[in-house]
Amino acid sequence: MRPANGELIRLPSSKQEADPQIIVEGDKPCRWRSFGRMGSPAHRCRDIERQAGYLQPEHCAPPPPRTDPDAMWFIRDGCGIVCGVITWFLVFYAEFVVVFVMLLPSKNLAYSLINGALFNGLAFLALASHFRAMCTDPGAVPKGNATKEFIESLQLKPGQVVYKCPKCCSIKPDRAHHCSVCKRCIRKMDHHCPWVNNCVGENNQKYFVLFTMYIALISLHALVMVVFHFLFCIEEDWTKCSTFSPPATVILLILLCFEGLLFLIFTSVMFGTQVHSICTDETGIEQLKKEERRWAKKSKWMNMKVVFGHPFSIAWLSPFSTPDHGKADPYQYVV
């Protein structure tokens, strides 16, 4: 039986009929293939490029020497670096307006201390989360591991299949995708975010979620303070509610209001989509490509623990705590 617009590959009935297969992924149209049991074929749609040259592991250069595991991960992408600098600049601008325009001129000391400590604390956590999301390896597959020795170490059986990425010459574990910006295959890649100049993957998704959450919180806090400050300045003399001139004060507050509203909407949406992806255990790319679910289904609470760490603790909210993934499912190279 042949699926619609596809091709069915018959499973070998004996070890003499077929050898382990290496399928090279490329950019050509997708074909359907069946590698499941004969009674219940599991069809999977992948981009496949059938070039004989790529099928030989000898065509891969030896993998580069292993770098220091403690070395900082950083993507040298011009657009991402600019976006990262803009992100920090906007946070520092909000800090300037909140502290020097609204809090320091206030006559209520308790109001200034409480709101200053809260806003600066959240801003510090936001920038720390951004730094960790940007400088943490998102889960890169070792580059150039599609060597004969590595393939033999997988101990493939006749009829089993592994996927090889022709761009970084790596044997891809399940749920890994190639990023054209990072130039690496990333495990559980959700998307590449220029604002953190990095991919969002299994190792840094926690920091990205915290970054969006803390940016949304400081944006909301700034908007609330802007509204109260406007009301205070309208009731009082504009020359007394700020150390800056009234026109400069109005311009600074309007810009902060626009920035806060824009980033509140943007980061709230991103935070919601990330939490939904974590709870459903399905990355953004997997949802976009509508890939067949091949991994074990877990509860939403267990999926949250896999990303934020075992067990639940206050460390979930800390960008300085590296999550312990606990008994996370090991990634399979064999499909």
Side-chain angles (χ1 to χ4, degrees), residues 67 98 127 181 218 267 293 296:
T67 56
V98 168
L127 293 178
V181 179
I218 65 173
T267 55
R293 190 183 187 96

Side-chain angles (χ1 to χ4, degrees), residues 77-299:
D77 175 59
C79 176
I81 294 174
V82 171
C83 290
V85 171
I86 291 175
T87 301
W88 281 62
F89 171 78
L90 292 174
V91 173
F92 282 124
Y93 170 78
E95 285 269 2
F96 170 78
V97 176
V98 168
V99 174
F100 292 98
V101 177
M102 292 190 289
L103 295 183
L104 287 182
S106 176
K107 298 179 181 179
N108 191 331
L109 182 61
Y111 173 85
S112 299
L113 290 176
I114 294 174
N115 283 282
L118 179 60
F119 186 86
N120 284 280
L122 292 175
F124 174 75
L125 290 174
L127 293 178
S129 300
H130 183 272
F131 181 82
R132 291 299 302 271
M134 179 173 58
C135 298
T136 298
D137 181 351
V141 177
K143 198 172 185 177
N145 69 348
T147 60
K148 183 177 180 180
E149 292 76 12
F150 181 76
I151 294 174
E152 289 177 350
S153 70
L154 297 178
Q155 298 180 346
L156 299 176
K157 298 179 182 179
Q160 287 184 323
V161 174
V162 293
Y163 283 96
K164 169 188 167 185
C165 177
K167 298 177 181 178
C168 59
C169 207
S170 299
I171 298 298
K172 298 174 64 173
D174 199 20
R175 305 188 71 183
H177 295 85
H178 186 86
C179 175
S180 59
V181 179
C182 297
K183 296 180 175 59
R184 298 288 292 273
C185 287
I186 307 297
R187 296 190 300 269
K188 285 187 70 176
M189 175 181 169
D190 187 88
H191 68 287
H192 183 92
C193 179
W195 294 104
V196 298
N197 189 33
N198 202 359
C199 277
V200 178
E202 70 169 0
N203 290 344
N204 67 341
Q205 189 173 26
K206 169 191 173 179
Y207 309 125
F208 182 76
V209 173
L210 291 180
F211 167 67
T212 58
M213 181 183 72
Y214 288 128
I215 289 293
L217 289 177
I218 65 173
S219 299
L220 178 61
H221 189 199
L223 286 173
V224 172
M225 284 192 291
V226 166
V227 171
F228 277 103
H229 197 73
F230 261 119
L231 295 176
F232 173 74
C233 290
I234 291 174
E235 294 178 357
E236 300 289 335
D237 188 356
W238 276 89
T239 59
K240 297 180 180 180
C241 69
S242 175
T243 56
F244 295 87
S245 64
T249 301
V250 172
I251 292 175
L252 290 172
L253 291 178
I254 290 177
L255 290 177
L256 178 61
C257 187
F258 177 76
E259 175 192 343
L261 184 61
L262 179 64
F263 279 92
L264 174 62
I265 296 174
F266 177 72
T267 55
S268 297
V269 171
M270 287 300 301
F271 176 77
T273 56
Q274 285 295 301
V275 172
H276 178 265
S277 295
I278 294 172
C279 291
T280 58
D281 193 18
E282 192 174 23
T283 66
I285 290 182
E286 290 165 349
Q287 294 176 13
L288 185 64
K289 291 186 174 182
K290 298 181 180 180
E291 294 187 359
E292 178 188 357
R293 190 183 187 96
R294 297 171 48 84
W295 51 95
K297 187 175 182 180
K298 299 185 289 288
S299 67

